[in-house]
Amino acid sequence: MHVLIIGAAGMVGRKLTSALLAAGGVGDAPIEKVTLADVVAPNSPDTTIPCDTLAADLSAPGTAEKLVTDRPDLIFHLAAIVSGEAEADFEKGYAINLDGTRFLLEAIRHQGTKQPYCPRLVFTSSIAVFGEPLPAAIPDDMAHTPLTSYGTQKAICELLLADYSRRGFVDGIGIRLPTIVVRPGKPNKAASGFFSGIIREPLNGVEAVLPVDDTVRHWFASPRAAIGFLRHAATLDTAPLGQRRTLTMPGLSATIAEEIAALERFGGAAATRLIRREPDETIARIVAGWPQNFDARRALELGFAAEASFDDIVRAHIEDEMGGVTART
């Protein structure tokens, strides 16, 4: 199997690459080649499996065609600019999040005109496709009502994925990721970045800014769970999906106050004192329109799984990113 990961230099892309190479295969199929692409060339992994790393801007004409020339069997499309940046830069958001996806789908379709070609395409969407008014728990058949440009771009891509799959050009599956916490590394431009920052920084003895109220509720899963979603989507029988090719992933509904309580259980009162409350009206407005809870029974019935408590999420971060040690210990 030849695996192509687009967006491989990002946090999820790096973790997915490591997990796939460690496993050596996808389901029962051994991995014979990996191609890693991003706007900045990903680092070459330490592996005996043949691996190409490429600097590639998916929104640039001709890039998608080059990426699928070797006809990869499995494509993970993770590339996107995040919510805050897509809202701040309208043209960039549509160029990368929408045009890049359509270029990829078209490149795959044109490959199939030469000889039969229908790769599995795993696309990362977002719960930002939903917006107010919302029920207490969003069901699988909820209509898309995005309230941000990022959510709109992802919603359009979900429709494209379904249509190209219906026509037999790709075997597509979209996964709407919860907000992924705790993200390792430095903060990014996502409006949701503070959800990770108020855990990550205090656990390392560093101050973090909280721009919204403690009562804000949101939908979460860990990076560990996200990699599990992607790997499961790669091997899932897509026949039961029918024309509804995108699934809301399971997660955990929690408030900021519940996040902070979990932080204190692992980092003590010294950690929670490092959270500085600094209201930001722009971020608060964006977050206020985001979903808070889901009934993700369709994904659960298909075998996807996530954490059951915020303690599980914090514990996964400490184990995976901090060697099991916090500033407190």
Side-chain angles (χ1 to χ4, degrees):
M1 174 173 283
H2 176 190
V3 179
L4 167 63
I5 303 177
I6 304 171
M11 182 272 291
V12 172
R14 294 193 305 272
K15 286 182 174 292
L16 176 61
T17 299
S18 295
L20 291 176
L21 291 176
V26 179
D28 296 330
I31 297 174
E32 298 176 344
K33 180 181 178 181
V34 174
T35 301
L36 307 177
D38 212 321
V39 287
V40 176
N43 293 328
S44 296
D46 183 12
T47 178
T48 58
I49 296 174
C51 183
D52 292 335
T53 59
L54 306 170
D57 180 356
L58 192 60
S59 67
T63 296
E65 287 80 359
K66 293 177 183 177
L67 291 175
V68 301
T69 295
D70 291 340
R71 303 166 73 88
D73 306 286
L74 170 62
I75 302 171
F76 292 97
H77 178 20
L78 316 177
I81 64 168
V82 293
S83 53
E85 189 174 3
E87 196 69 10
D89 192 331
F90 184 84
E91 291 184 357
K92 184 177 181 181
Y94 273 89
I96 294 175
N97 294 340
L98 175 55
D99 295 343
T101 300
R102 185 162 185 269
F103 289 161
L104 176 63
L105 289 167
E106 277 293 276
I108 294 170
R109 182 175 72 86
H110 284 294
Q111 274 291 323
T113 63
K114 302 171 184 178
Q115 60 183 30
Y117 178 52
C118 183
R120 170 63 58 90
L121 175 61
V122 180
F123 169 68
T124 49
S125 188
S126 169
I127 58 174
V129 300
F130 302 107
E132 294 180 322
L134 296 170
I138 298 171
D140 287 316
D141 58 358
M142 180 76 183
H144 291 174
T145 53
L147 295 178
T148 63
S149 294
Y150 175 76
T152 301
Q153 292 147 17
K154 289 292 189 179
I156 296 170
C157 290
E158 287 188 14
L159 292 173
L160 289 172
L161 183 73
D163 196 40
Y164 278 68
S165 295
R166 179 183 66 84
R167 297 295 298 267
F169 303 136
V170 298
D171 181 14
I173 177 170
I175 60 173
R176 297 185 196 108
L177 293 176
T179 289
I180 302 302
V181 295
V182 178
R183 300 180 70 93
K186 297 179 180 180
N188 61 21
K189 294 183 180 180
S192 60
F194 67 89
F195 286 121
S196 286
I198 61 171
I199 301 294
R200 180 184 59 236
E201 270 66 69
L203 285 176
N204 284 290
V206 178
E207 186 180 71
V209 173
L210 175 60
V212 301
D213 192 81
D214 287 24
T215 59
V216 167
R217 177 176 291 278
H218 197 54
W219 186 246
F220 302 103
S222 72
R224 185 187 290 180
I227 302 311
F229 299 156
L230 289 163
R231 295 180 67 187
H232 187 56
T235 59
L236 186 72
D237 178 8
T238 54
L241 298 180
Q243 301 306 315
R244 296 166 59 201
R245 285 278 174 158
T246 302
L247 298 161
T248 298
M249 292 295 97
L252 170 71
S253 179
T255 64
I256 295 292
E258 290 168 335
E259 268 200 79
I260 294 173
L263 170 65
E264 185 164 4
R265 284 190 286 274
F266 287 92
T272 60
R273 284 195 294 268
L274 288 169
I275 297 174
R276 175 164 53 88
R277 287 164 172 79
E278 189 176 289
D280 184 311
E281 291 184 5
T282 299
I283 292 178
R285 175 181 53 80
I286 292 174
V287 173
W290 285 351
Q292 301 179 1
N293 193 14
F294 287 86
D295 178 1
R297 69 181 66 186
R298 191 164 172 242
L300 290 168
E301 290 171 354
L302 289 168
F304 292 91
E307 288 80 15
S309 72
F310 215 94
D311 281 25
D312 292 339
I313 290 176
V314 176
R315 187 178 296 108
H317 175 70
I318 294 171
E319 291 174 355
D320 294 350
E321 309 298 337
M322 302 180 68
V325 177
T326 68
R328 182 186 186 188
T329 58

